Amino acid sequence: MKISLLTDAPKHNLALMQLSAYHKECGDQVSLNMPLFPADYRYASVLFERNRKLFHADEYGGPAFNGTKLNLNIKPDYDLYQRNNFSIGYTFRPCFNTCGFCKVPQMNHPDIEHHSIWEFHDSKFDHICLLNNNTFQDPQWKETFEEIWDADLTVIDENGYDLRLLNDEKVSALKKTKFSTPLHFAWDRMNDESLIKNGLKLLEKYNLRTTSNGVYVLIGYNTTEDEDLHRCQVINDFGLTPYPMPFIINKYTKNFKRFINLHYYRKYKTIKEAWQDYK
């Protein structure tokens, strides 16, 4: 049987890697992103809603389609993306927050259980990419770190860590872990300010506040221009880099994101003063 796997994912797609492993175990021939491949069955895993009609397939899934899920407990096929040199998977899939701007609460997660890295990690790799949506909501989060330390792995940080959930033990674990990418966090809502500042203070305490580590700042959702400036200023004052993430694309969000990303504000005493001059 010939199987065609299609996706708009720019780097890797875990669901298709698992489907590939399953079908290869069944003796099937598998191709990736070859639309003209004469297949007996086609899967399309789509990340972005604008691409929902991009592929012709027998079965569709991915974040672009609400309610889809894949119940396959199988190690990914790491030969599908031959340029990747790391393991990839979840040790804890859900995030129990119900943020209106986020797709994760709308997705039908296969489970809410903790998983060992050894369910998907291949020992030929010394890097591991965790796709967890909120690692520190996992009651067994420390087991994940302990397995990573024991295997002497370097982590690729895809989704970042929740500043609101940090404490001394968690920040100490981050400090002990080897990362190949800068640490990332987020400040989405103004009413989380006290929790965010507590997390930033912990990063400062453990010397994890460097300009290479960044904090995503949601803009264009339900905050004002002054609130956007305030959050960026606080993040900058703690020695980290703000990264504006527009919820909608308009003239303001495009300009504000460009302004911050150019680091134009570093020439001024405050970000607000720089913004007024920039405008």
Side-chain angles (χ1 to χ4, degrees):
M1 191 171 180
K2 295 181 178 180
I3 304 297
S4 177
L5 306 177
L6 304 166
T7 184
D8 60 344
K11 295 186 294 184
H12 44 67
N13 187 299
L14 178 61
L16 295 189
M17 293 167 74
Q18 291 177 313
L19 281 169
S20 178
Y22 169 77
H23 279 286
K24 285 182 178 178
E25 281 190 3
C26 295
D28 298 330
Q29 182 181 351
V30 177
S31 72
L32 174 66
N33 279 344
M34 296 175 61
L36 300 181
F37 181 71
D40 299 300
Y41 200 83
R42 298 174 183 272
Y43 298 91
S45 179
V46 185
L47 296 185
F48 305 106
E49 292 182 6
R50 64 178 182 270
N51 293 332
R52 280 192 287 193
K53 297 182 179 180
L54 186 63
F55 305 108
H56 173 70
D58 298 287
E59 191 168 343
Y60 296 86
F65 299 91
N66 291 341
T68 62
K69 63 181 179 180
L70 178 67
N71 288 325
L72 273 182
N73 186 19
I74 188 171
K75 277 193 174 183
D77 173 17
Y78 289 112
D79 292 330
L80 192 65
Y81 290 89
Q82 296 183 359
R83 289 180 296 178
N84 287 358
N85 60 351
F86 51 83
S87 295
I88 183 170
Y90 296 88
T91 59
F92 191 70
R93 188 154 191 162
C95 175
F96 299 118
N97 299 332
T98 55
C99 303
F101 52 81
C102 183
K103 289 280 293 184
V104 173
Q106 304 171 29
M107 299 176 69
N108 190 356
H109 294 295
D111 65 73
I112 58 172
E113 303 298 323
H114 170 84
H115 294 273
S116 167
I117 66 169
W118 295 105
E119 292 182 29
F120 61 88
H121 175 59
D122 190 318
S123 57
K124 69 182 179 182
F125 299 122
D126 57 12
H127 282 63
I128 187 169
C129 178
L130 294 181
L131 299 178
N132 298 358
N133 290 300
N134 200 326
T135 295
F136 287 136
Q137 282 190 353
D138 181 3
Q140 296 170 258
W141 65 266
K142 194 170 183 180
E143 293 180 23
T144 295
F145 284 90
E146 288 173 341
E147 289 182 335
I148 288 170
W149 299 334
D150 290 344
D152 195 26
L153 297 176
T154 299
V155 176
I156 299 171
D157 179 15
E158 282 265 308
N159 293 330
Y161 297 91
D162 195 333
L163 276 170
R164 298 165 297 181
L165 299 180
L166 296 186
N167 56 28
D168 285 274
E169 185 180 26
K170 292 171 182 174
V171 180
S172 179
L174 292 176
K175 179 74 172 179
K176 182 177 177 180
T177 305
K178 294 185 295 185
F179 289 91
S180 66
T181 51
L183 286 169
H184 287 106
F185 308 92
W187 185 355
D188 299 316
R189 307 183 305 181
M190 277 304 301
N191 59 3
D192 290 329
E193 181 166 5
S194 60
L195 291 173
I196 294 294
K197 284 184 174 179
N198 180 66
L200 293 173
K201 289 175 183 176
L202 285 166
L203 296 181
E204 182 177 35
K205 177 180 177 181
Y206 286 85
N207 196 29
L208 285 175
R209 56 171 202 130
T210 67
T211 54
S212 61
N213 294 333
V215 181
Y216 294 113
V217 179
L218 181 69
I219 61 174
Y221 183 66
N222 65 355
T223 55
T224 66
E225 180 179 310
D226 282 341
E227 289 171 334
D228 296 342
L229 289 166
H230 172 71
R231 286 180 293 159
C232 289
Q233 184 66 59
V234 170
I235 292 164
N236 181 69
D237 289 345
F238 273 95
L240 290 96
T241 301
Y243 292 110
M245 298 292 290
F247 180 74
I248 57 172
I249 303 297
N250 57 32
K251 183 178 180 181
Y252 164 69
T253 58
K254 286 193 295 184
N255 285 343
F256 192 87
K257 179 179 174 65
R258 185 184 304 114
F259 158 71
I260 294 294
N261 288 349
L262 287 172
H263 307 304
Y264 183 82
Y265 58 89
R266 291 179 178 171
K267 301 177 182 179
Y268 293 78
K269 291 182 179 180
T270 66
I271 294 179
K272 186 173 184 178
E273 179 185 349
W275 175 238
Q276 294 302 322
D277 191 26
Y278 182 83
K279 289 199 298 182

